[in-house]
Amino acid sequence: MAVITQLPKAIRPVRDDAATFRAAFRHLAGGVSVITTGHGEDRTGLTATSVSSLSAEPPTIFFGLNLSSSSYPVLQRHRSFGVNFLSATQKQVADRFAGRGGETGAARYADAEWTRGVSGAPLLLGALASLDCEVEEIIERHSHAIIIGRVREVRLGRDDAALVYWRGDYERLGWMIEEATTALGLRAY
């Protein structure tokens, strides 16, 4: 005898459109990174949760970038970029690079300390980690480009709590060093 299970209304299939697709992906927590590219006044960047490791040998990453993004032509010109993994204390950097306050281009770099990687890409001081990358390949598909980058330099920061994006908002994952040392009764060095 076959058992027929009816799905509860809350998990029944829904339309297959872009808005529903985006809503579904809000349930997938992702680390927040700032992608940086360019030099001087010709620099810009974006906030991304689509960064992923492609290969460890050689170290290679990829991420998705909207073709209509103001960062896309700058990245194409300079052929290098930084990937900065944000700590839980760097929400304002994520907001600025997401354009939430209306900042564009070089204005997104305000109120944070930056240095340059070996390729010249801007790297955020205080990030959990920063990767300096050269563009290896750009694959255009639909509304986005898949940017594949060869990692030329890795800079590790402090082992603090990470900034993650989940259900349309920023969250924190883990403990800050100061919290952990206080909780354990240790001194911070």
Side-chain angles (χ1 to χ4, degrees), residues 59-78:
T60 310
I61 60 102
F62 69 96
F63 68 96
L65 178 59
N66 194 310
L67 294 172
S68 66
S69 167
S70 60
S71 298
Y72 187 56
V74 178
L75 180 71
Q76 286 181 305
R77 273 194 305 279
H78 291 276

PDB file of all heavy atoms in Angstrom, residues 59-78:
ATOM      1  N   PRO A  59      46.427  28.080  -6.248  1.00  0.00           N
ATOM      2  CA  PRO A  59      45.359  28.782  -5.537  1.00  0.00           C
ATOM      3  C   PRO A  59      44.556  29.669  -6.490  1.00  0.00           C
ATOM      4  O   PRO A  59      45.100  30.576  -7.119  1.00  0.00           O
ATOM      5  CB  PRO A  59      46.119  29.626  -4.508  1.00  0.00           C
ATOM      6  CG  PRO A  59      47.456  28.982  -4.379  1.00  0.00           C
ATOM      7  CD  PRO A  59      47.750  28.379  -5.718  1.00  0.00           C
ATOM      8  N   THR A  60      43.277  29.337  -6.612  1.00  0.00           N
ATOM      9  CA  THR A  60      42.394  30.019  -7.554  1.00  0.00           C
ATOM     10  C   THR A  60      41.017  30.169  -6.919  1.00  0.00           C
ATOM     11  O   THR A  60      40.544  29.259  -6.241  1.00  0.00           O
ATOM     12  CB  THR A  60      42.270  29.192  -8.859  1.00  0.00           C
ATOM     13  OG1 THR A  60      43.585  28.840  -9.307  1.00  0.00           O
ATOM     14  CG2 THR A  60      41.566  29.954  -9.950  1.00  0.00           C
ATOM     15  N   ILE A  61      40.397  31.322  -7.136  1.00  0.00           N
ATOM     16  CA  ILE A  61      39.051  31.570  -6.604  1.00  0.00           C
ATOM     17  C   ILE A  61      38.138  32.021  -7.746  1.00  0.00           C
ATOM     18  O   ILE A  61      38.597  32.319  -8.849  1.00  0.00           O
ATOM     19  CB  ILE A  61      39.065  32.634  -5.481  1.00  0.00           C
ATOM     20  CG1 ILE A  61      39.597  33.988  -5.969  1.00  0.00           C
ATOM     21  CG2 ILE A  61      39.931  32.187  -4.324  1.00  0.00           C
ATOM     22  CD1 ILE A  61      38.524  34.964  -6.212  1.00  0.00           C
ATOM     23  N   PHE A  62      36.826  32.081  -7.446  1.00  0.00           N
ATOM     24  CA  PHE A  62      35.899  32.671  -8.405  1.00  0.00           C
ATOM     25  C   PHE A  62      34.750  33.334  -7.670  1.00  0.00           C
ATOM     26  O   PHE A  62      34.472  33.048  -6.513  1.00  0.00           O
ATOM     27  CB  PHE A  62      35.387  31.638  -9.425  1.00  0.00           C
ATOM     28  CG  PHE A  62      34.477  30.580  -8.861  1.00  0.00           C
ATOM     29  CD1 PHE A  62      33.093  30.719  -8.934  1.00  0.00           C
ATOM     30  CD2 PHE A  62      35.001  29.432  -8.279  1.00  0.00           C
ATOM     31  CE1 PHE A  62      32.261  29.731  -8.423  1.00  0.00           C
ATOM     32  CE2 PHE A  62      34.179  28.445  -7.774  1.00  0.00           C
ATOM     33  CZ  PHE A  62      32.802  28.595  -7.841  1.00  0.00           C
ATOM     34  N   PHE A  63      34.113  34.280  -8.368  1.00  0.00           N
ATOM     35  CA  PHE A  63      32.924  34.939  -7.838  1.00  0.00           C
ATOM     36  C   PHE A  63      32.088  35.443  -9.001  1.00  0.00           C
ATOM     37  O   PHE A  63      32.556  35.541 -10.138  1.00  0.00           O
ATOM     38  CB  PHE A  63      33.280  36.093  -6.874  1.00  0.00           C
ATOM     39  CG  PHE A  63      33.936  37.281  -7.523  1.00  0.00           C
ATOM     40  CD1 PHE A  63      33.194  38.388  -7.903  1.00  0.00           C
ATOM     41  CD2 PHE A  63      35.308  37.308  -7.734  1.00  0.00           C
ATOM     42  CE1 PHE A  63      33.797  39.488  -8.486  1.00  0.00           C
ATOM     43  CE2 PHE A  63      35.925  38.405  -8.310  1.00  0.00           C
ATOM     44  CZ  PHE A  63      35.165  39.494  -8.695  1.00  0.00           C
ATOM     45  N   GLY A  64      30.826  35.748  -8.712  1.00  0.00           N
ATOM     46  CA  GLY A  64      29.920  36.270  -9.722  1.00  0.00           C
ATOM     47  C   GLY A  64      29.837  37.779  -9.643  1.00  0.00           C
ATOM     48  O   GLY A  64      29.821  38.365  -8.556  1.00  0.00           O
ATOM     49  N   LEU A  65      29.791  38.437 -10.802  1.00  0.00           N
ATOM     50  CA  LEU A  65      29.723  39.899 -10.872  1.00  0.00           C
ATOM     51  C   LEU A  65      28.707  40.300 -11.936  1.00  0.00           C
ATOM     52  O   LEU A  65      28.791  39.859 -13.082  1.00  0.00           O
ATOM     53  CB  LEU A  65      31.111  40.463 -11.209  1.00  0.00           C
ATOM     54  CG  LEU A  65      31.241  41.966 -11.380  1.00  0.00           C
ATOM     55  CD1 LEU A  65      30.816  42.709 -10.115  1.00  0.00           C
ATOM     56  CD2 LEU A  65      32.673  42.318 -11.742  1.00  0.00           C
ATOM     57  N   ASN A  66      27.756  41.131 -11.545  1.00  0.00           N
ATOM     58  CA  ASN A  66      26.734  41.607 -12.473  1.00  0.00           C
ATOM     59  C   ASN A  66      27.394  42.406 -13.589  1.00  0.00           C
ATOM     60  O   ASN A  66      28.238  43.278 -13.328  1.00  0.00           O
ATOM     61  CB  ASN A  66      25.715  42.471 -11.717  1.00  0.00           C
ATOM     62  CG  ASN A  66      24.462  42.706 -12.520  1.00  0.00           C
ATOM     63  OD1 ASN A  66      24.512  43.107 -13.674  1.00  0.00           O
ATOM     64  ND2 ASN A  66      23.322  42.459 -11.902  1.00  0.00           N
ATOM     65  N   LEU A  67      27.013  42.137 -14.824  1.00  0.00           N
ATOM     66  CA  LEU A  67      27.591  42.823 -15.976  1.00  0.00           C
ATOM     67  C   LEU A  67      27.287  44.318 -15.971  1.00  0.00           C
ATOM     68  O   LEU A  67      28.027  45.105 -16.550  1.00  0.00           O
ATOM     69  CB  LEU A  67      27.084  42.197 -17.286  1.00  0.00           C
ATOM     70  CG  LEU A  67      27.524  40.759 -17.533  1.00  0.00           C
ATOM     71  CD1 LEU A  67      26.813  40.179 -18.752  1.00  0.00           C
ATOM     72  CD2 LEU A  67      29.025  40.659 -17.681  1.00  0.00           C
ATOM     73  N   SER A  68      26.206  44.720 -15.292  1.00  0.00           N
ATOM     74  CA  SER A  68      25.855  46.137 -15.237  1.00  0.00           C
ATOM     75  C   SER A  68      26.511  46.851 -14.053  1.00  0.00           C
ATOM     76  O   SER A  68      26.330  48.060 -13.889  1.00  0.00           O
ATOM     77  CB  SER A  68      24.333  46.307 -15.165  1.00  0.00           C
ATOM     78  OG  SER A  68      23.836  45.796 -13.948  1.00  0.00           O
ATOM     79  N   SER A  69      27.295  46.147 -13.260  1.00  0.00           N
ATOM     80  CA  SER A  69      27.977  46.745 -12.109  1.00  0.00           C
ATOM     81  C   SER A  69      29.018  47.755 -12.576  1.00  0.00           C
ATOM     82  O   SER A  69      29.732  47.519 -13.557  1.00  0.00           O
ATOM     83  CB  SER A  69      28.658  45.645 -11.288  1.00  0.00           C
ATOM     84  OG  SER A  69      29.556  46.207 -10.360  1.00  0.00           O
ATOM     85  N   SER A  70      29.147  48.857 -11.843  1.00  0.00           N
ATOM     86  CA  SER A  70      30.185  49.847 -12.169  1.00  0.00           C
ATOM     87  C   SER A  70      31.584  49.275 -11.945  1.00  0.00           C
ATOM     88  O   SER A  70      32.564  49.795 -12.475  1.00  0.00           O
ATOM     89  CB  SER A  70      29.999  51.107 -11.320  1.00  0.00           C
ATOM     90  OG  SER A  70      30.101  50.790  -9.939  1.00  0.00           O
ATOM     91  N   SER A  71      31.699  48.196 -11.190  1.00  0.00           N
ATOM     92  CA  SER A  71      32.999  47.564 -10.945  1.00  0.00           C
ATOM     93  C   SER A  71      33.477  46.723 -12.131  1.00  0.00           C
ATOM     94  O   SER A  71      34.686  46.503 -12.280  1.00  0.00           O
ATOM     95  CB  SER A  71      32.927  46.663  -9.701  1.00  0.00           C
ATOM     96  OG  SER A  71      32.628  47.419  -8.564  1.00  0.00           O
ATOM     97  N   TYR A  72      32.551  46.271 -12.953  1.00  0.00           N
ATOM     98  CA  TYR A  72      32.928  45.367 -14.034  1.00  0.00           C
ATOM     99  C   TYR A  72      33.927  45.975 -15.027  1.00  0.00           C
ATOM    100  O   TYR A  72      34.986  45.371 -15.285  1.00  0.00           O
ATOM    101  CB  TYR A  72      31.675  44.835 -14.741  1.00  0.00           C
ATOM    102  CG  TYR A  72      31.967  43.763 -15.757  1.00  0.00           C
ATOM    103  CD1 TYR A  72      32.649  42.608 -15.401  1.00  0.00           C
ATOM    104  CD2 TYR A  72      31.566  43.893 -17.076  1.00  0.00           C
ATOM    105  CE1 TYR A  72      32.927  41.612 -16.328  1.00  0.00           C
ATOM    106  CE2 TYR A  72      31.818  42.907 -18.007  1.00  0.00           C
ATOM    107  CZ  TYR A  72      32.509  41.773 -17.641  1.00  0.00           C
ATOM    108  OH  TYR A  72      32.773  40.789 -18.561  1.00  0.00           O
ATOM    109  N   PRO A  73      33.688  47.179 -15.577  1.00  0.00           N
ATOM    110  CA  PRO A  73      34.676  47.719 -16.521  1.00  0.00           C
ATOM    111  C   PRO A  73      36.019  48.054 -15.867  1.00  0.00           C
ATOM    112  O   PRO A  73      37.068  47.931 -16.500  1.00  0.00           O
ATOM    113  CB  PRO A  73      34.010  48.980 -17.089  1.00  0.00           C
ATOM    114  CG  PRO A  73      32.866  49.283 -16.189  1.00  0.00           C
ATOM    115  CD  PRO A  73      32.492  48.016 -15.485  1.00  0.00           C
ATOM    116  N   VAL A  74      36.010  48.444 -14.585  1.00  0.00           N
ATOM    117  CA  VAL A  74      37.258  48.741 -13.877  1.00  0.00           C
ATOM    118  C   VAL A  74      38.063  47.453 -13.713  1.00  0.00           C
ATOM    119  O   VAL A  74      39.270  47.430 -13.946  1.00  0.00           O
ATOM    120  CB  VAL A  74      36.979  49.419 -12.514  1.00  0.00           C
ATOM    121  CG1 VAL A  74      38.281  49.682 -11.766  1.00  0.00           C
ATOM    122  CG2 VAL A  74      36.195  50.718 -12.710  1.00  0.00           C
ATOM    123  N   LEU A  75      37.396  46.382 -13.342  1.00  0.00           N
ATOM    124  CA  LEU A  75      38.059  45.082 -13.210  1.00  0.00           C
ATOM    125  C   LEU A  75      38.625  44.622 -14.555  1.00  0.00           C
ATOM    126  O   LEU A  75      39.751  44.126 -14.635  1.00  0.00           O
ATOM    127  CB  LEU A  75      37.090  44.038 -12.657  1.00  0.00           C
ATOM    128  CG  LEU A  75      37.658  42.637 -12.482  1.00  0.00           C
ATOM    129  CD1 LEU A  75      38.648  42.599 -11.330  1.00  0.00           C
ATOM    130  CD2 LEU A  75      36.540  41.650 -12.237  1.00  0.00           C
ATOM    131  N   GLN A  76      37.877  44.825 -15.623  1.00  0.00           N
ATOM    132  CA  GLN A  76      38.361  44.441 -16.955  1.00  0.00           C
ATOM    133  C   GLN A  76      39.618  45.235 -17.334  1.00  0.00           C
ATOM    134  O   GLN A  76      40.536  44.674 -17.925  1.00  0.00           O
ATOM    135  CB  GLN A  76      37.277  44.670 -18.004  1.00  0.00           C
ATOM    136  CG  GLN A  76      36.166  43.653 -17.962  1.00  0.00           C
ATOM    137  CD  GLN A  76      35.134  43.926 -19.047  1.00  0.00           C
ATOM    138  OE1 GLN A  76      34.582  45.021 -19.131  1.00  0.00           O
ATOM    139  NE2 GLN A  76      34.887  42.928 -19.870  1.00  0.00           N
ATOM    140  N   ARG A  77      39.643  46.526 -16.990  1.00  0.00           N
ATOM    141  CA  ARG A  77      40.806  47.368 -17.314  1.00  0.00           C
ATOM    142  C   ARG A  77      42.037  46.981 -16.512  1.00  0.00           C
ATOM    143  O   ARG A  77      43.130  46.879 -17.050  1.00  0.00           O
ATOM    144  CB  ARG A  77      40.493  48.848 -17.031  1.00  0.00           C
ATOM    145  CG  ARG A  77      39.855  49.586 -18.141  1.00  0.00           C
ATOM    146  CD  ARG A  77      39.888  51.100 -17.936  1.00  0.00           C
ATOM    147  NE  ARG A  77      39.318  51.583 -16.686  1.00  0.00           N
ATOM    148  CZ  ARG A  77      38.013  51.763 -16.451  1.00  0.00           C
ATOM    149  NH1 ARG A  77      37.134  51.456 -17.389  1.00  0.00           N
ATOM    150  NH2 ARG A  77      37.597  52.234 -15.296  1.00  0.00           N
ATOM    151  N   HIS A  78      41.875  46.784 -15.205  1.00  0.00           N
ATOM    152  CA  HIS A  78      43.029  46.577 -14.329  1.00  0.00           C
ATOM    153  C   HIS A  78      43.466  45.118 -14.232  1.00  0.00           C
ATOM    154  O   HIS A  78      44.615  44.850 -13.870  1.00  0.00           O
ATOM    155  CB  HIS A  78      42.750  47.155 -12.943  1.00  0.00           C
ATOM    156  CG  HIS A  78      42.689  48.643 -12.959  1.00  0.00           C
ATOM    157  ND1 HIS A  78      43.811  49.427 -12.880  1.00  0.00           N
ATOM    158  CD2 HIS A  78      41.647  49.496 -13.089  1.00  0.00           C
ATOM    159  CE1 HIS A  78      43.452  50.699 -12.941  1.00  0.00           C
ATOM    160  NE2 HIS A  78      42.148  50.763 -13.070  1.00  0.00           N
TER     161      HIS A  78
END
